[in-house]
Structures are given as C-alpha cells and as structure tokens.
Amino acid sequence: MSPLDISLADLIARLDQELPGTDELARISEARLRAQTLSDLGDQLIDHYVSKAKQTGASWTEIGDAIGVSKQAAQQRHAPGPFERYTNLNRHSIVLAQEAARTHKHDFIGTEHLLLGLLGEPRGLACEVLIAKAGSEQHVRDAVEEAMPPSGEKALRGHIAFRPESKEAIEQARRASADLGHDWVGTEHALLGLIRVGESPAAQILRNLGFTSDEMHETVRTEITKRSAAHGKQ
C-alpha cells in the first residue's frame, strides 16, 4: 500500500491544469508555494500523533526515537505553542493563511490572511458563520481582497512572521474559547479572536460585512450548542 494516496504525477497534473498558458518559471514559483504548504501540513501531521502518543504515556525518549531525533530535539520541536489546543480544522486554516501571504508575496501574516484561511476551510464553523451573514463566500473574499495590501514584487522564502495584531488575534481566540468554557480552539473561536482586535484589518472587514462582536459571540454560542451533540467539535 502506498504511504500516501497521492503521487508526484497527480501534483504535476493538477498544477498544469490550474495554470494553463503560464510559462515554466511561473509554475516553479507556484510549485514552491505548494511544496511549502505540504511541508507545513506534514509538520502538523507529526504534531498530531506526538500529542496522541503523549496522551497514552509515551516518553520524550520514545517519541524522539520514533521521529529519528534526540529526546531534547523532540521536546524542543513539540513544546506547547500558541496552537496547542487548536483543532485540526483551525490548524489547517493557519496553513491556508500562510499560503495566502505567500501567494500575495507579502512578508507578513496579517489578520486579513487569517480571515482568508478561515474562509478556505469550509468544514469549519467560522466559514459557515461568515457565509450565512455575508450571503456568499465570494462576497467575503471580495471584501478581503479589496482591503488587502498590494502584492509584493518577489516570492518569499522560508518563515513568514505574524504581525502583532495577528498574534493578538490568536491570543484572543484562546480567550474566546475559555470564555465559552471550551477545551479546544476551533475556527469559530479564531473568528471571534479576529473581531476582538478592533483596529485590525480583519475586524474592519467583518464590521463592514455587518458583524458585531457581541452578535458574533452569541451566534457562535448558539451554533455550537446546536451542533455539538450531532457533529462534535468543529
């Protein structure tokens, strides 16, 4: 059995299909962006099973052996971080935010990129709340793109830093989760975190779409109550 249900030929065929008529240099740039996304997802896949192993009582020495690194390196790599209690859907939204920043050739991850990341995860409650209020996904995307800074001139390599207001939104997401008595941080909490950072681009976009912080909080509370029994955490 193949370790992944995807092949290099699949990735090449999809990229060629999505970028018809572009030259090979443009495809190199896009391929690099997609490779970074795959790398980010791979890291999150390992993190997921490291957390599972810790829950079953595995030691850092055992985990390090499984990864192929020392105990100290395993602990350092998987130390609790700002996304420790994030659900898988919310972690994926962060990857999508990073990809949005790279696509626009921005040297930062702003709250507008985080908002695009939430919109790009249709299984998350945040996406449903956004579309229900705005009327369509495209309406939200258009509002974000209109507020987005101009694209940069050069594709970026390596790490892209979060802007201070993005770090604050991530912290506010954790607080929103705690306020609601939850032990996870889902896309819905991330959405609440964005609107709580009042002067950020994302908060301004959300207000222009008709959201208020109090209304959004009640909407999230109501939707979680409705869905928790049937669907679990989103």
Side-chain angles (χ1 to χ4, degrees), residues 36-166:
Q36 184 62 55
T37 298
L38 289 171
S39 176
D40 292 340
L41 287 172
D43 287 342
Q44 290 189 26
L45 178 65
I46 296 171
D47 289 345
H48 171 79
Y49 285 105
V50 167
S51 296
K52 291 288 187 182
K54 288 300 294 179
Q55 290 171 12
T56 61
S59 69
W60 281 113
T61 298
E62 293 171 322
I63 291 171
D65 288 342
I67 298 174
V69 299
S70 68
K71 168 187 174 181
Q72 291 76 14
Q75 285 179 303
Q76 183 176 8
R77 172 177 172 175
H78 299 283
F83 309 118
E84 176 70 13
R85 294 188 296 115
Y86 270 42
T87 63
N88 289 337
L89 297 186
N90 206 9
R91 287 173 183 266
H92 185 226
S93 79
I94 296 295
V95 173
L96 294 177
Q98 294 169 339
E99 186 174 0
R102 288 194 176 92
T103 298
H104 288 83
K105 299 179 181 178
H106 292 156
D107 60 356
F108 60 88
I109 300 173
T111 58
E112 58 271 48
H113 302 112
L114 293 176
L115 186 55
L116 280 179
L118 293 175
L119 191 62
E121 181 41 86
R123 297 169 295 171
L125 180 54
C127 183
E128 292 190 16
V129 170
L130 285 167
I131 293 174
K133 182 74 171 182
S136 72
E137 177 183 343
Q138 192 59 50
H139 188 187
V140 183
R141 287 193 179 280
D142 290 344
V144 177
E145 291 294 339
E146 184 177 346
M148 190 76 71
S151 294
E153 297 181 357
K154 190 175 182 180
L156 298 173
R157 298 178 182 275
H159 175 71
I160 302 178
F162 289 95
R163 274 193 163 170
E165 61 265 29
S166 296

Side-chain angles (χ1 to χ4, degrees), residues 14-33:
R14 180 169 177 176
L15 194 153
D16 288 344
Q17 182 181 15
E18 294 179 3
L19 296 178
T22 58
D23 61 28
E24 300 308 319
L25 291 176
R27 296 187 187 198
I28 289 174
S29 296
E30 180 62 24
R32 188 187 65 78
L33 292 174

